[in-house]
Each structure stands twice: as structure tokens, then as C-alpha cells.
Amino acid sequence: MFYISMFFQYVAQYMKTRLEYRADLIVEIFSDLLFQAVNLIFILVVFDHTEFLNGWSRDEIIFIYGFFLVPYALFSSFFNIWDFNERYIVKGELDRILTRPIHSLFQIILERMELESLFGAMTGLAVMFYAGSRLGLDVSWSDPFLFVLFVMGGVLVYAGIFVMIACISFWADARTSIMPMMYNIGNYGRYPVDIYNKAIRFVLTWILPFAFVGVYPAAYFLGRDEWYGYSFLTPVIGLVFFGLSVFIWNEGVKRYRGAGN
Amino acid sequence: MDKYIEMIRIRFLMMLAYRTNYYTGILIYSINIGAYYFLWNAIYGEKSEIEGLSAIQMTTYVAVAWMARAFYFNNIDREMATEIKEGKVAVELIRPYSYLGMKTMQGLGEGIFRLFFFSVPGMVIVALIFPMEFSADAMTWALFAISIVLSFLINTQLNLLTGITTFFLYNNTGLIRAKRVLIDLFSGLLLPISFFPGWAQEIMGFLPFQGISYIPSMIFTNGFTGSEAVEGLMLQGAWVLILVVPTQILWVIAKKQLIIQGG
């Protein structure tokens, strides 16, 4: 209960600060939309020149992209920890966090929220419905529930990977630039993984399971039954990776000695 | 002149200090190019060519486009924004050099560093893993070299322009990000411009962005040869000259209305 009320108090504060600078907020939402549009234009232009991508049609690829945008938007709203090392370790901000009565990871998530990214979830849904209606997909009663379940799984996969990368800072103080690399790799889970070679597919499924944020769960709604097994693994992989990352985080915090000043 | 060359040297040495950054940098570029390689192979499927480019030419195009980006890409717009917001620009303005010239030189120092420590080793790694096609013709290499220098100049002018807007907008993080996304798409980094539908190509023909990535990459892959390549270089040169005008005008206006908050 305490955590939930904390969450809403932070959200209220956040809204106040953001609405103070409205113009900047609008430009930021606009540049987010632009970024999503560029990826969509890429798909559209490519399919001007080809009918199928390894057996997947244009609308199916667009559908997967739309699905991907939803967990991705939730992830970027709440797990904005790409500068964890510089902000919290190098500048010693973590000392302040550790004196607070709520879990350190939760506190950081609250502090670094970027709620305007949630807008991306709406464009994602719009893209999905557009592609879905062109494909003539039926919506059954269970689909909304599975959708929420799969989206949650996807968010946890993303969050788990990025929290683990942030944890590297507890052990090695070297400034790493692995974070931007991960953002790139995350994008490859959007495309049907059967176009890559076996090694990359293995990495995207079991080591950095980004395929569970795009193609695997989306395949269920597209009725691709050869992938159903993977689709239903999504929440499991999400829980395993996120659970593991929280465990590593807690171990890391135990080791943390502070930057000292 | 000496002080500008010194600027290039200092920035070069600064880049050298962050070693992990460039090891991971090479890895990022290789992985990126690798993923595009598989994507494009799937797109080509059974087709032998699309819009005059074969599958091998296409993967070479992608690789060269990303490697050239390491040279022309820099964050001087973001650096300018920070310096303007923090009021540091006031100190820069009384120093005995041109602020814009100095920023350009810092960008060049970064570019030269990335070209030799990033693009060249990255290209060797990528070429070992994936099939690529490199021209043996010295002329192609010479034209390519001129072309990426012009790319750098066009991109830098656009960065300076975006940086200067901080004087008027105070906070332009959104604008800087939007500019970067637009350049990635319209410069031909993600897709050769010849792949776009006709009407889109026509619009892009009026914009400076194709001079940043499309022209050098096409020259390198021999998509442009002879007079076509020379025309491309002239177009790039023309844009370098045209962009000087708005940059200088905005700069003069910006200096006049500069307000330093605190400091």
C-alpha cells in the first residue's frame, strides 16, 4: 500500500514539473512520434520492393512493430536508467537513495520517470489496429487479457536486461557504453528472428531475449501457431529475467561503498 | 591557424582517453551492420538486384554509410546547447578565436579519431565476417575521400544551426533529437534514396541531407560513377556554400540578443 501511494505522489509531482514547460514537452512528444514514424517508413519503403520477408507479409511486420511499441513505451517511461552509472554512482547520489525507507531500485524508478513516453503506447496500438484490420484478424475474448500479459512480460524482459547492465556499475567503476548498444540490439527483436542466422537467433531468444518483446508474442495474435510455444513463454522469461536482475541489484547494493566526498 | 589545429589535436587526445568507449563502439557498429546484413538478405530473397544495386552492393552500402557516419557525426549541437544554457558561451565569445570555427575544429578532431580508430578497424572486422565488395580503383577512393569531407561540412553546418537555436529556444533537446532522426532518414543512411517512391525522391532532391550519406555511399559502392559522381560532389559543394548564409546570419542575430543568466 505504501508503495502504491508513493507511486501516485511521485506521478503528481512529475505532472506539475512537466506542465511548467509545455513547449518542451510538446517538442519531445513530437520527436518521439517522428522516431516511430521513421521506423515505420523504413518498413513501408522496403516492402515497395519486395512482397514477403522470409514468408512474412508487410502488414504482419507492421503489426509486430506496433506490438513492440507498447512494451517499449512502458519500459522507457519507467526504466529510464541509462545514465545510472554517471548519476548515481559517480556523483554519489545512491547514498541519498539508500537512506530512504523504500527499495532502492523502486526509488530510482520513481525519480527517473518519463511519463510522456507513454504516448508511444497509443501510437503502437493504433499501428497494431491498422495492420490487424488489414490482415482481417479476429479479436477473441481472451486476446485483451493475453495482450496485457504479453506486454507485461515484454516490459519485464527489457527492464531485467537494463537493470542487469546498470548493476555492472556496482562491480566495475569503468565508464561503460554498453547501454546505447543494447538499445540497438533491442530493435532486432522486432523482425522475424528466422531471418537471422542461428547464433543471433539464439542470443535474441535466450541470452538477450529481445525477441520476446516483439516477434514472439506478436506471432500469437497473428495466428502463427508454429511460434505459440515461444509466445506463451513471454511472461515466464520476463519474470525470470526481472527476478534475476532484482537479485543481482540487491547483491550489488550490499557491495556498494559510496563514492565518498 | 595554429590554434585551430591545436583544437583538433586536443579533441583527438580527449577521445583517446575513453578506451572502453571505442572498443564498445566498434562492437556496436559491427553488430548493427550485421543485423542489417541479414535483414537486407531477407529483403532481397531471390532477387538479383533492386533499383540497380545488387545484394552485395547493398550490404557494402550499409556498411560504408555507417562507417562514414562515424566520421561526420558529432555532438557539437548538444555541446553548444549546454554551453549556452550554462552561460559558458560568454567566456568563449571573448576568446581570440571564432566560436563556430572552434566548434567545427573540435568536431573534426572527433571525426578524425573515429575514422582511424573506429571506422577502419570496424570495416576490417565487418569485411572479414560478411561478403563485401571494395573497389580497387584509386579514383573511386579519391572521390569518396573528397565526398566524406563535404559530408562532414554539411552535417557540421546543420549542427551549428541547431546549436544556435538554443539562443532563441532556451531548451532544444527535443529539436536536437528530431534533427538527428530526420537526418538518419533523409540522408540515405537507413535506405538508399533511390529506394523511395518518386515523389519523395523529388522532395529530398531539394534538401541538403542527401549530401551527408547517400552521395558518398553511392560513390563508394560504384552506384555513381564518372560524371554522376562528379555531379554529386558539386551538389555537396553547393550545399556547403549555401548553408554558410543562414548559419552566419543566425549567429549575428543570436549574439546581439544574447542574455547571460547568472555566471
Side-chain angles (χ1 to χ4, degrees):
Chain A
M1 255 340 270
F2 177 58
Y3 277 65
I4 297 170
S5 89
M6 272 316 276
F7 176 75
F8 283 106
Q9 280 180 25
Y10 263 93
V11 169
Q13 284 305 321
Y14 183 81
M15 301 294 244
K16 279 186 221 160
T17 54
R18 287 310 291 194
L19 290 175
E20 198 62 25
Y21 298 97
R22 258 168 244 192
D24 192 44
L25 183 67
I26 290 165
V27 177
E28 233 154 80
I29 291 175
F30 172 75
S31 76
D32 259 357
L33 286 178
L34 199 66
F35 188 69
Q36 290 154 11
V38 165
N39 287 316
L40 200 57
I41 291 171
F42 182 84
I43 298 172
L44 291 177
V45 172
V46 160
F47 276 95
D48 256 1
H49 300 280
T50 183
E51 198 69 17
F52 290 101
L53 193 65
N54 217 11
W56 298 73
S57 74
R58 185 189 88 134
D59 290 323
E60 284 178 307
I61 303 280
I62 293 179
F63 185 91
I64 299 173
Y65 179 54
F67 177 89
F68 162 84
L69 285 178
V70 181
Y72 186 73
L74 284 162
F75 158 76
S76 24
S77 308
F78 295 108
F79 290 90
N80 191 11
I81 49 172
W82 57 273
D83 55 355
F84 173 74
N85 185 288
E86 282 111 87
R87 267 186 88 91
Y88 290 93
I89 302 283
V90 177
K91 289 191 183 157
E93 287 271 297
L94 195 68
D95 296 354
R96 175 175 57 79
I97 300 289
L98 291 177
T99 61
R100 302 279 167 88
I102 50 177
H103 189 265
S104 48
L105 182 59
F106 188 65
Q107 172 80 34
I108 287 172
I109 288 167
L110 289 179
E111 281 186 8
R112 305 293 294 140
M113 262 190 312
E114 281 223 3
L115 291 176
E116 65 268 26
S117 301
L118 283 177
F119 216 77
M122 286 193 260
T123 37
L125 284 172
V127 169
M128 259 176 78
F129 275 105
Y130 162 79
S133 69
R134 283 180 57 107
L135 287 162
L137 296 181
D138 293 323
V139 181
S140 81
W141 66 270
S142 60
D143 283 354
F145 298 102
L146 284 173
F147 178 75
V148 171
L149 189 69
F150 290 170
V151 165
M152 287 328 238
V155 175
L156 291 179
V157 166
Y158 246 99
I161 294 173
F162 278 87
V163 169
M164 280 189 228
I165 294 168
C167 286
I168 295 176
S169 320
F170 291 122
W171 278 271
D173 8 289
R175 188 170 170 265
T176 54
S177 42
I178 304 177
M179 284 279 188
M181 183 161 87
M182 283 303 150
Y183 278 96
N184 273 333
I185 297 177
N187 280 333
Y188 305 132
R190 282 184 352 224
Y191 294 103
V193 283
D194 45 355
I195 66 169
Y196 304 119
N197 79 352
K198 282 208 180 76
I200 297 184
R201 198 179 146 180
F202 183 81
V203 169
L204 285 174
T205 307
W206 304 114
I207 300 176
L208 301 166
F210 287 117
F212 286 101
V213 193
V215 60
Y216 288 151
Y220 171 78
F221 301 105
L222 291 170
R224 294 249 171 179
D225 41 20
E226 69 269 34
W227 300 83
Y228 278 9
Y230 287 108
S231 308
F232 284 100
L233 259 180
T234 307
V236 180
I237 297 279
L239 284 174
V240 168
F241 267 76
F242 190 68
L244 193 64
S245 77
V246 173
F247 172 77
I248 298 176
W249 177 276
N250 289 338
E251 289 301 307
V253 168
K254 274 185 216 156
R255 280 183 55 103
Y256 174 74
R257 294 222 166 80
N261 52 26
Chain B
M1 206 53 217
D2 279 0
K3 55 195 174 201
Y4 290 106
I5 291 171
E6 187 61 16
M7 276 304 162
I8 301 179
R9 199 179 72 90
I10 292 173
R11 185 49 78 99
F12 186 91
L13 292 176
M14 259 168 73
M15 295 289 291
L16 206 57
Y18 292 105
R19 254 156 252 256
T20 45
N21 256 350
Y22 70 73
Y23 296 135
T24 46
I26 293 174
L27 210 60
I28 295 172
Y29 275 73
S30 310
I31 291 174
N32 216 358
I33 292 165
Y36 275 115
Y37 169 79
F38 290 109
L39 188 59
W40 279 108
N41 269 334
I43 292 165
Y44 269 79
E46 305 292 305
K47 289 192 200 69
S48 62
E49 67 155 61
I50 300 177
E51 301 293 336
L53 288 178
S54 68
I56 282 201
Q57 270 181 314
M58 189 62 222
T59 41
T60 314
Y61 178 98
V62 171
V64 170
W66 279 93
M67 293 304 176
R69 184 176 183 268
F71 175 67
Y72 68 71
F73 182 86
N74 52 52
N75 283 319
I76 55 177
D77 46 357
R78 224 187 307 152
E79 283 172 27
M80 282 174 76
T82 325
E83 283 173 4
I84 293 166
K85 265 188 269 182
E86 290 175 358
K88 281 185 191 152
V89 74
V91 186
E92 295 291 337
L93 288 178
I94 53 172
R95 289 195 172 144
Y97 47 57
S98 132
Y99 179 67
L100 297 185
M102 186 217 31
K103 278 282 155 221
T104 309
M105 290 305 149
Q106 289 180 340
L108 189 60
E110 235 181 279
I112 294 173
F113 173 84
R114 289 220 202 89
L115 184 67
F116 289 109
F117 287 87
F118 224 78
S119 303
V120 174
M123 207 64 188
V124 172
I125 294 172
V126 170
L128 287 176
I129 307 175
F130 307 108
M132 306 260 156
E133 209 171 50
F134 295 114
S135 171
D137 183 15
M139 191 62 190
T140 308
W141 284 86
L143 291 175
F144 175 70
I146 301 170
S147 189
I148 59 165
V149 172
L150 294 171
S151 301
F152 169 79
L153 291 174
I154 297 176
N155 190 54
T156 302
Q157 308 244 34
L158 293 174
N159 277 351
L160 293 177
L161 267 175
T162 330
I164 297 173
T165 58
T166 320
F167 282 107
F168 309 100
L169 300 174
Y170 307 111
N171 200 346
N172 61 351
T173 19
L175 185 75
I176 290 175
R177 207 159 53 130
K179 184 216 65 176
R180 192 193 287 178
V181 175
L182 279 181
I183 288 187
D184 282 352
L185 181 69
F186 290 143
S187 67
L189 172 72
L190 303 174
L191 285 161
I193 289 179
S194 54
F195 276 54
F196 283 90
W199 60 268
Q201 284 188 40
E202 224 163 274
I203 298 172
M204 286 183 224
F206 292 106
L207 300 172
F209 306 118
Q210 55 172 324
I212 298 175
S213 188
Y214 182 58
I215 295 174
S217 309
M218 282 307 264
I219 290 178
F220 192 87
T221 48
N222 282 326
F224 283 170
T225 44
S227 63
E228 248 182 323
V230 175
E231 260 171 53
L233 290 182
M234 303 233 289
L235 188 70
Q236 283 185 297
W239 273 112
V240 172
L241 295 177
I242 295 170
L243 285 170
V244 171
V245 180
T247 315
Q248 290 304 326
I249 292 176
L250 261 187
W251 179 237
V252 171
I253 301 173
K255 273 199 291 193
K256 273 192 192 136
Q257 69 125 52
L258 170 67
I259 302 165
I260 300 289
Q261 307 183 10

